[in-house]
């Protein structure tokens, strides 16, 4: 009994109850129609997840991470509802720009089919550019990091070029490349390339000298040295750059999809924001956040799998 009470008497559950009680308050802002059914349904779903996590996950650290995240989501929903629909705050005059959660969730549900298409198009664009950047940057970084003299000079050049925003290349990409999609992919490539290259070079330079000396005593070839010894030893640092490149790619998604795109999450958000439909635009922003979180989580799982030898 004590164990059950310990799992139930937590702050996220209290926030969930507070959220339900807030729904009973009268609405004082009516400028945008709110559909509380969608908000309550989301809260109930999150509460079911919270209960499942609380009783099924035995590791305290992992359980606390999940419950804390859900608690923050409940707190944000409470603030969102109060600020947009329940209280007559001065900011409610701009409610069209910051719509209530029920309206956003309703729009998200109704446009779910279109959202899936936009997600598919955006991921195809990002992964195409990201994989091209990684395929070039990792071998190039291994070579530059291994050749100390060339690598030292290349490091300064890389710092100079990486300080230039990839957005600068957009007009040149449009003029020089055959299609708008190729120009969009090029922007993602330039965004991802430099973080991956810099981290790969740093990883090579930080490989323990005794590992390289041990390999030299076995008279391993240059190719084997780079890809069978130095590459695995550099992977932790390389993954840091790959994470940075992936994050920057999503940040530049809107800019990349503005180059002649007619679909995708970035285009979706930018297009509806330009027409003043902030409810749909905000639904797109939330979708981008969810997609980035899921992709990052899967990427971290891949990283943990490939680096399992370190553990």
């Amino acid at each position: 009994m004590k164990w059950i009470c310990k799992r139930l008497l937590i702050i996220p559950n209290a926030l969930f109850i507070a959220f339900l009680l807030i729904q009973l308050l009268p609405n004082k802002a009516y400028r945008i129609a709110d559909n509380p059914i969608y908000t309550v349904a989301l809260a109930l779903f999150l509460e079911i997840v919270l209960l499942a996590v609380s009783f099924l996950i035995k590791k305290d650290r992992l359980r606390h991470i999940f419950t804390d995240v859900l608690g923050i989501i409940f707190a944000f929903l409470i603030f969102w509802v109060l600020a947009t629909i329940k209280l007559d705050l001065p900011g409610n005059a701009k409610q069209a720009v910051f719509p209530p959660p029920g309206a956003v969730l309703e729009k998200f549900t109704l446009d779910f089919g279109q959202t899936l298409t936009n997600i598919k198009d955006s991921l195809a664009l990002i992964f195409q550019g990201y994989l091209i950047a990684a395929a070039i940057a990792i071998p190039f970084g291994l070579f530059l990091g291994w050749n100390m003299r060339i690598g030292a000079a290349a490091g300064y050049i890389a710092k100079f070029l990486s300080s230039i925003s990839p957005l600068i290349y957009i007009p040149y990409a449009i003029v020089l490349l055959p299609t708008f999609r190729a120009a969009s992919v090029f922007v993602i490539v330039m965004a991802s390339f430099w973080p991956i290259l810099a981290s790969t070079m740093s990883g090579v330079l930080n490989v323990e000298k005794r590992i390289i000396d041990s390999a030299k005593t076995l008279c391993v070839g240059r190719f084997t040295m780079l890809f069978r010894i130095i590459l695995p030893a550099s992977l932790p640092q390389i993954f840091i750059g790959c994470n940075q490149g992936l994050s920057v790619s999503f940040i530049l998604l809107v800019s990349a999809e503005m180059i002649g795109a007619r679909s995708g999450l970035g285009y979706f958000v930018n297009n509806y924001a330009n027409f003043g439909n902030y409810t749909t635009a905000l639904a797109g922003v939330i979708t981008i956040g969810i997609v980035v979180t899921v992709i990052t989580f899967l990427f971290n799982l891949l990283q943990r799998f490939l680096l399992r030898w370190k553990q």
Side-chain angles (χ1 to χ4, degrees):
M1 187 67 180
K2 183 178 179 181
W3 177 79
I4 295 176
C5 291
K6 183 179 179 182
R7 298 298 174 92
L8 289 178
L9 298 178
I10 56 178
I11 293 178
N13 281 328
L15 290 173
F16 169 70
I17 295 173
F19 174 81
L20 293 182
L21 294 176
I22 287 173
Q23 299 303 313
L24 302 177
L25 297 175
N27 294 344
K28 293 187 177 181
Y30 298 95
R31 295 173 183 85
I32 287 184
D34 181 52
N35 195 337
I37 295 177
Y38 290 92
T39 317
V40 173
L42 175 63
L44 288 174
F45 171 76
L46 294 176
E47 177 65 15
I48 292 172
V49 173
L50 176 62
L51 293 176
V53 166
S54 299
F55 287 101
L56 296 179
I57 297 181
K58 296 181 179 180
K59 293 183 178 180
D60 289 341
R61 181 177 177 277
L62 185 60
R63 187 177 68 253
H64 290 160
I65 291 175
F66 276 101
T67 55
D68 290 348
V69 169
L70 291 171
I72 292 172
I73 294 175
F74 281 132
F76 178 72
L77 285 175
I78 290 173
F79 168 77
W80 193 355
V81 170
L82 289 175
T84 57
I85 200 75
K86 295 299 181 181
L87 299 179
D88 192 13
L89 300 176
N92 280 339
K94 299 181 179 180
Q95 196 182 37
V97 179
F98 189 49
V104 175
L105 292 172
E106 181 180 15
K107 180 61 66 174
F108 178 85
T109 304
L110 296 177
D111 294 341
F112 188 70
Q114 183 183 1
T115 299
L116 290 179
T117 301
N118 289 324
I119 291 174
K120 177 179 69 69
D121 293 341
S122 290
L123 291 182
L125 176 66
I126 283 183
F127 284 136
Q128 185 177 352
Y130 181 79
L131 292 176
I132 291 174
I136 299 173
I138 293 176
F140 197 48
L142 288 173
F143 173 77
L144 293 177
W146 177 243
N147 292 271
M148 299 293 292
R149 182 173 177 178
I150 300 176
Y156 289 102
I157 296 174
K159 288 180 181 178
F160 170 75
L161 293 176
S162 62
S163 65
I164 301 174
S165 172
L167 299 178
I168 301 297
Y169 302 115
I170 289 179
Y172 299 98
I174 293 175
V175 172
L176 297 176
L177 295 175
T179 64
F180 286 119
R181 179 172 181 81
S184 301
V185 172
F186 179 77
V187 172
I188 300 298
V189 170
M190 297 305 295
S192 307
F193 178 81
W194 298 113
I196 299 175
L197 176 68
S199 291
T200 303
M201 293 176 62
S202 176
V204 174
L205 293 172
N206 289 315
V207 174
E208 294 184 28
K209 190 175 183 300
R210 62 181 181 82
I211 296 177
I212 297 176
D213 291 340
S214 299
K216 286 180 177 179
T217 59
L218 298 175
C219 299
V220 299
R222 190 181 188 86
F223 183 87
T224 303
M225 175 71 81
L226 281 175
F227 292 96
R228 297 293 299 275
I229 296 174
I230 293 179
L231 176 59
S234 306
L235 274 180
Q237 190 69 29
I238 292 174
F239 268 110
I240 293 176
C242 289
N243 265 309
Q244 292 175 350
L246 191 61
S247 299
V248 175
S249 296
F250 275 104
I251 291 173
L252 289 176
L253 177 63
V254 175
S255 300
E257 289 182 338
M258 285 174 64
I259 310 174
R262 289 295 176 265
S263 63
L265 292 173
Y267 169 80
F268 180 82
V269 171
N270 184 67
N271 183 59
Y272 281 102
N274 287 338
F275 283 100
N277 190 343
Y278 293 102
T279 301
T280 305
L282 188 55
V285 170
I286 294 173
T287 303
I288 292 177
I290 294 172
V291 171
V292 172
T293 302
V294 172
I295 295 298
T296 303
F297 176 75
L298 295 176
F299 190 85
N300 289 335
L301 288 181
L302 175 63
Q303 177 179 346
R304 208 170 297 138
F305 173 76
L306 294 177
L307 299 180
R308 62 191 183 280
W309 52 270
K310 282 196 67 178
Q311 302 173 7

